[in-house]
Amino acid sequence: MATKTKKSAKKVVKKSAKKIVVKAKKTTPAKASFSFKPTKLKLLRPVPSDIEIAQAAKLKPITQIADEYGVRENELELYGPYKAKVKLDILERLKNKPNGKYIDVTAITPTPLGEGKTTTTIGLSQALGAHLGKKVITCIRQPSMGPTFGIKGGAAGGGYSQVIPMEDFNLHLTGDIHAITASHNLVAAALDARVMHEKQQDDEKLFNALCPPDKKGNRKFSATMLRRLKKLGINKTNPDDLTPEERSKFARLDIDESTITWRRVVDINDRFLREIQVGLGKDEAGFEHRSGYDITVASEIMAVLALTTSLEDMRERFGNMVVATSKQGEAVTVEDLGVAGAVTVLMKDAIKPNLMQTLEGTAAMVHAGPFANIAHGQSSIIADMVALKLVGKDGFVVTESGFGADIGMEKFFNIKCRYSGLIPHVVVMVATVRALKMHGGGPKVVAGKPLAPEYTDENLDLLRKGLANLERHIQNANKFGVKVIVAINSFATDTPAEVELIRKASIEFGAMDAILCTHWADGGVGTKKLAEAVVKAAEEKSNFQFLYPLEDSIKTKIEKIAKEIYRADGVDYTPEAEEQITRYTKLGFDKLPICMAKTHLSFSTDATQKGAPTDFRVKVREIRASVGAGFLYPILGDMRTMPGLGTRPSFYDIDLDLKTEKILGLF
């Protein structure tokens, strides 16, 4: 989310009736060691809207971006002149090239307005590339269109630190989310149809329907059927060789309908689809049942896309996704439904990361966009892998974790880094005066309403009381053995005394440095000092370590996160959660990492508890399994997986100029 910064001292060079064009303080960019040419910014005062800045930007052809970073023409799939997909073949070509430095941008516990994490991520990248001459790639998530049309705020950064074209970024992009929607709903259709057909047919009819003879009377198993047979321990490839018992075991999934967890998805905020009744058609009479919709970015298929490492790995993960359990207590998977191969076909293009650019011409890879509460909230491993090879040992990849560090950073380390095998070098912790004052006991911050005077006037006492939140986040990052740099994202109302208080406290708390950043108003030059601090920190040895080993029990892993990251006194489990722990342990899912689903507005599970709360317990309401993605997610409180539209959604402002075809009102 864009955040407004103070005006830096600049020389006015041109005035107009409404806007002032200014030139940033002169800096001499270090000469890049590769064929990169930065795009010069033309800064205006007051800072225009995000879309005005983005539409006025000078865009390089995406083929030029690719050429500058060493992506060959035959490794690109163009989607118009300014965006492209990168083929996975590039990883084979670059496999012997060393990786660059890996930077994760996270934040303190935010206000409901967000603290400018994405804007900082992009500003840092622009500073590294356009002002320090480093080879850098930004790796961030693709946003859901639901919030785009529902609430004000983009995901492409803001001000003079954006990924462009921002309209494409925030809307369809290259269709990855649509592919996920179709894939997910194909599984839902296959699941409901299978339950119906099994109830209507005996074992022999069911087997004959699944393996019908051709015109010559020969039967054959499809590739997905052979995978199911292997899982069942039936080592036969000819359908006619199966015994009646084996035919029954193969053909009948015998799904316990009360255990079905797979719903439908759509990438729109539609509150009236949260709970629905399906099967109301005349041909489905007798098979009516309740279901519901989640938003597409909450789909396990999205989580798989973000965590997969290859096409083969993605195919395997899709097959492992659990949709229900049988009446015998066995996991029923997408492979059992016979639809995993078809899902892979629908996702074969979505697995390729999307190449874009920032306002200052550095490369950006936009790929995947899983929820940061139900899922792990990270952009894709594949994009990071490609980017790290392209930048090389002296380059940098800057990525971002969703929500505050207690959620996003923890999941980045314990889930994403575990599956990728990539070692993070530096954590950039975004903090704002506004959020820290809220944690010090300031009035409630509500989106769409003016801030109280406590936030706009200097108030050192309130700010000092809120510093405990920053301290805990820094301690948590250091616990993983990663160096921390604090980025103080500046607002127009921040005072020098407030900034200095945060800077000194950050270093006392264990950060290597704390830097005032003005990238929203100034672009990369506003984060040049931050970039210099990151380069220095990345040169030091990383002592990265996970919080827990996978061999720990489910409860032990949950309790380590609750006690060591949240600082809870302990964990309580409902009878339902206890039963799920027993079942998942029996099914062999207990060795998966943990992806906690909780509010992002507090260290605790109570969003009203600000600062650094103690003396609280965490209650696990239930635990769900995303076996294909590769994690269990305990639900701490009520987690909504389908947002709703308010009275006055953002779509009121969005329209099209019918003469120029320019999009209007998009942030």
Side-chain angles (χ1 to χ4, degrees), residues 22 28-29 44 105 208 229 247 255 259 277 300 364 494 499 628 640:
V22 298
T28 305
L44 299 178
V105 179
N208 289 334
L229 288 167
R247 289 187 176 196
I255 293 169
T259 67
Q277 185 84 356
E300 185 176 352
D494 298 347
V499 171
R640 184 164 286 164

Side-chain angles (χ1 to χ4, degrees), residues 97-108:
K97 189 175 179 181
N99 286 341
K101 304 294 186 183
Y102 199 28
I103 315 301
D104 181 48
V105 179
T106 186
I108 63 173

